[in-house]
Amino acid sequence: MQGLMQTWPLTVDKILDHANNWHGDREVVSRSLEGPIVRTTYGAIHERAKRLSNALLALGVSNGDRVGTLAWNTGRHIEAWYAIMGIGAVCHTLNPRLFADQLCYIMNHAEDRIIFVDLPFLPILWEHRERLPKVEKIIVMTDRDHMVEATYPGALCFETLVEQHSPDVVWGEFDERTAAALCYTSGTTGNPKGVLYEHRSTFLHTLVSLQADAMGLSSRDSILAVVPMYHANAWGLTFSAPAAGAKLVLPGAKMDGASIFELLETEHVTFSAAVPTVWQMLLQHMRANSLRPSKLKRVVIGGSAVPEALVRAFRDDYGVEVVHAWGMTETSPLGTLSSPNAAVAAMEPDERLYYSLKQGRPPAGIELKLTDDDGNLLPHDGTTFGRLKVRGPFVVGAYFRGEGGNILDDEGYFDTGDVATIDELGYMQITDRAKDVIKSGGEWISSIEIENIAAGHPKATLAAVIGVHHPKWEERPLLLVKLNEGETATREEFLAFLDGKIAKWWMPDDVVFVEEIPLGATGKIDKKLIRQRMEGYVLPTAAAVPAQ
Ligand code: ADP
């Protein structure tokens, strides 16, 4: 028997309608690319996004067309998003940190017809426009004063389009499974692959992310969305903030410690989300200048594992709660969060900390399982490593244009490519990416666990661990360390620091001090590049093994 409730398609335009109707005066504050801080409201964003929808319709954009955005987090970027999605077109967020070749590949693969671009990225886009035959128009996200029309003939000005068009447009009224947004994974293996989010999946992800044990957002929050909108939709914040009616603060291009601290204070930020490297920079800035945030209560940290030292510093020195989160572009992206359940909440602070270093528990709407390579279920005992698989209404079902073929197992689960444990209390912990895990003598060593401990050494800025070929053991761990400015250290100091904190056979065979630990386009340690750089390196322990 069918139920008898109303038909109300879950389309994301309704999120901004809600913000306009009930939180129309709530502020959206951006550090603009032109320089100054710009203040607007959900009400104004709603109206301007509607005008922009009419501009897109006038340019011939229709349902299903891809429209790219190559931009930092700003109010204009939000206007572009809702303008695109509201009329059933697909908003394709492009990561400006990618190389031009990758960007061209992605834009061509997606067949973007129009690109919204921030001023600083216009020259590079212009330089490569011949390689982008499908791109018909470029819209520069600025005002008339900053347009350089002579240099870029035919480029359109965002503010002029907003002025020229009426706000009278109908949003939504299409199937809730219509595609809303497209985001390519960074493709650490093979070509980047597109994840095509639906209106429905995004709406459901928004509701889930608001839960108290997830992001726990409310209309009283002031949210600083540091995580970029091109990085899995700013982890959904540009949907969940208007859904909650929270104030939204957007950092534009400046994510250094001083700029972030300034926004935290001037905008009374209570909640923020970013990858660990951003928080490390903020901590360094606060320490160096004896500063402390006055209103900040909670930060969600994810994208890569959170080092213990970071959680301790926020908790003990600044009274800020850290919620560790795991997810991926393919999961919209929230998959698990480490907020305490009843059992963990009852523990002593240091025991609780142990759980906040894990990646956490799934909210309702995410199903997880652990399997071996043959798909057999593994126990949730907190020690058995296995492949982490995930299923749910906002998890990828197939990549755009069928790249990679069938990506689901017989039960409809997606293999995340992560290796993890799940403990008796339901907390998942990533031990590695399947391709980074170190295979030593038939056993697995977690590169992440060693690097997190090493990064806690007072002389270390950043640490990375990779597996290096070993004639006897197949692979052995090599620790790379970037020391703090002006610091010196020995290999033995670091090995002594790890001693007792990891199993003896996990001990790195060597420590190399490096000038730089390369970070990829989403701020994570780029192990692929490190492996390339270390090619030809021979472990001292390998050199000692006689050739067979
Ligand atoms: P990419 O890193 O390829 O750009 P994503 O941003 O989708 O793609 O990253 C997803 C991956 O990032 C996960 O599969 C996992 O390996 C890693 N990751 C995300 N969050 C965490 C976390 N909290 N701890 C450890 N690894 C994480």
Side-chain angles (χ1 to χ4, degrees):
M1 186 188 283
Q2 292 280 299
L4 291 170
M5 308 311 276
Q6 296 180 6
T7 303
W8 195 84
L10 303 176
T11 58
V12 300
D13 47 283
K14 292 189 172 108
I15 295 176
L16 195 60
D17 284 348
H18 171 81
N20 177 48
N21 291 338
W22 302 100
H23 308 278
D25 293 338
R26 200 71 168 124
E27 270 189 314
V28 176
V29 181
S30 318
R31 189 186 294 282
S32 68
L33 275 297
E34 293 85 359
I37 300 288
V38 172
R39 292 174 184 281
T40 180
T41 60
Y42 286 124
I45 284 190
H46 185 262
E47 193 202 301
R48 286 162 51 85
K50 288 211 151 189
R51 291 173 180 272
L52 207 52
S53 285
N54 271 327
L56 292 173
L57 290 169
L59 289 170
V61 173
S62 62
N63 201 301
D65 284 345
R66 270 78 65 202
V67 177
T69 64
L70 186 58
W72 297 118
N73 293 8
T74 65
R76 284 198 186 112
H77 197 173
I78 293 193
E79 288 161 1
W81 271 29
Y82 283 95
I84 299 165
M85 298 183 206
I87 57 171
V90 180
C91 177
H92 175 200
T93 45
L94 293 156
N95 180 343
R97 290 200 171 119
L98 293 176
F99 295 116
D101 282 353
Q102 289 168 301
L103 275 175
C104 288
Y105 171 87
I106 289 174
M107 285 187 241
N108 285 329
H109 190 269
E111 300 189 353
D112 293 333
R113 288 183 59 189
I114 292 182
I115 308 285
F116 282 90
V117 62
D118 268 342
L119 270 174
F121 311 125
L122 181 56
I124 176 111
L125 186 61
W126 203 258
E127 187 188 326
H128 293 281
R129 70 190 186 289
E130 308 282 284
R131 297 168 66 188
L132 304 167
K134 301 278 181 199
V135 174
E136 296 159 30
K137 282 285 172 208
I138 290 175
I139 301 175
V140 189
M141 301 170 81
T142 192
D143 51 28
R144 217 170 291 166
D145 291 349
H146 292 84
M147 274 303 280
V148 209
E149 277 160 65
T151 323
Y152 305 105
L156 299 170
C157 171
F158 189 99
E159 288 301 327
T160 308
L161 291 178
V162 170
E163 263 167 45
Q164 283 172 345
H165 291 86
S166 111
D168 201 3
V169 71
V170 176
W171 273 351
E173 303 205 341
F174 37 73
D175 186 277
E176 64 181 15
R177 297 206 60 177
T178 300
L182 177 63
C183 182
Y184 281 72
T185 61
S186 55
T188 26
T189 51
N191 278 326
K193 298 183 191 70
V195 178
L196 192 60
Y197 305 110
E198 301 159 353
H199 279 265
R200 176 178 189 272
S201 69
T202 309
F203 204 108
L204 291 174
H205 181 265
T206 305
L207 298 181
V208 168
S209 73
L210 293 173
Q211 295 177 20
D213 272 4
M215 298 262 196
L217 303 174
S218 84
S219 55
R220 291 155 321 269
D221 276 310
S222 170
I223 299 172
L224 175 62
V226 184
V227 53
M229 290 165 73
Y230 59 74
H231 192 190
N233 296 333
W235 300 350
L237 286 175
T238 33
F239 299 109
S240 45
K247 174 174 171 177
L248 185 57
V249 185
L250 303 162
K254 292 201 172 162
M255 278 160 278
D256 59 283
S259 305
I260 293 297
F261 186 80
E262 185 193 345
L263 286 181
L264 288 180
E265 288 310 281
T266 55
E267 303 309 325
H268 301 166
V269 169
T270 55
F271 174 96
S272 186
V275 293
T277 39
V278 166
W279 300 117
Q280 307 272 25
M281 289 191 292
L282 177 71
L283 275 185
Q284 272 172 13
H285 173 76
M286 293 196 297
R287 283 184 179 140
N289 298 284
S290 310
L291 300 167
R292 44 184 310 123
S294 51
K295 300 279 191 306
L296 189 64
K297 288 196 192 69
R298 210 151 23 94
V299 293
V300 169
I301 311 185
S304 46
V306 181
E308 179 174 341
L310 195 59
V311 183
R312 283 194 187 274
F314 270 108
R315 188 191 67 175
D316 302 340
D317 302 346
Y318 302 107
V320 174
E321 180 195 359
V322 170
V323 178
H324 188 183
W326 165 86
M328 56 200 311
T329 307
E330 287 88 338
T331 60
S332 290
L334 290 185
T336 60
L337 297 108
S338 73
S339 35
N341 63 12
V344 172
M347 294 174 182
E348 293 300 316
D350 269 359
E351 244 185 312
R352 275 212 311 266
L353 182 108
Y354 169 77
Y355 285 93
S356 64
L357 295 176
K358 298 197 176 203
Q359 278 71 11
R361 305 175 282 117
I366 286 279
E367 292 184 86
L368 294 182
K369 69 175 179 183
L370 263 194
T371 76
D372 64 15
D373 286 346
D374 300 323
N376 302 309
L377 284 183
L378 293 175
H380 293 185
D381 58 10
T383 55
T384 310
F385 292 16
R387 290 180 169 274
L388 180 67
K389 297 185 179 166
V390 59
R391 181 168 82 171
F394 45 88
V395 177
V396 68
Y399 287 112
F400 188 45
R401 297 192 189 288
E403 292 284 328
N406 176 23
I407 52 170
L408 307 183
D409 73 6
D410 293 347
E411 293 181 324
Y413 280 81
F414 169 74
D415 187 336
T416 62
D418 286 324
V419 176
T421 59
I422 300 179
D423 65 24
E424 289 88 348
L425 293 181
Y427 282 73
M428 185 276 286
Q429 182 161 28
I430 300 282
T431 43
D432 231 321
R433 281 194 159 191
K435 58 186 179 305
D436 293 337
V437 82
I438 299 162
K439 300 192 172 84
S440 176
E443 299 282 346
W444 288 2
I445 297 177
S446 159
S447 66
I448 293 187
E449 202 166 324
I450 307 176
E451 66 201 22
N452 279 344
I453 298 171
H457 191 291
K459 290 185 176 177
T461 305
L462 215 54
V465 172
I466 57 165
V468 176
H469 172 71
H470 189 283
K472 181 165 174 204
W473 301 110
E474 185 182 347
E475 280 185 340
R476 289 294 303 155
L478 168 69
L479 170 63
L480 294 98
V481 178
K482 181 180 179 224
L483 293 169
N484 298 332
E485 200 72 19
E487 196 69 81
T488 55
T490 62
R491 166 183 190 275
E492 284 66 33
E493 269 179 270
F494 272 84
L495 294 180
F497 185 73
L498 291 173
D499 195 23
K501 299 191 179 88
I502 53 174
K504 280 254 176 297
W505 64 278
W506 281 33
M507 204 48 103
D509 280 25
D510 200 9
V511 182
V512 173
F513 296 100
V514 289
E515 290 293 309
E516 190 215 1
I517 289 193
L519 300 180
T522 48
K524 304 179 196 192
I525 295 174
D526 187 342
K527 299 233 173 140
K528 193 169 148 193
L529 188 55
I530 295 180
R531 279 191 282 263
Q532 274 169 18
R533 287 186 183 172
M534 297 308 288
E535 214 178 295
Y537 165 87
V538 179
L539 287 167
T541 49
V545 177
Q548 311 224 324

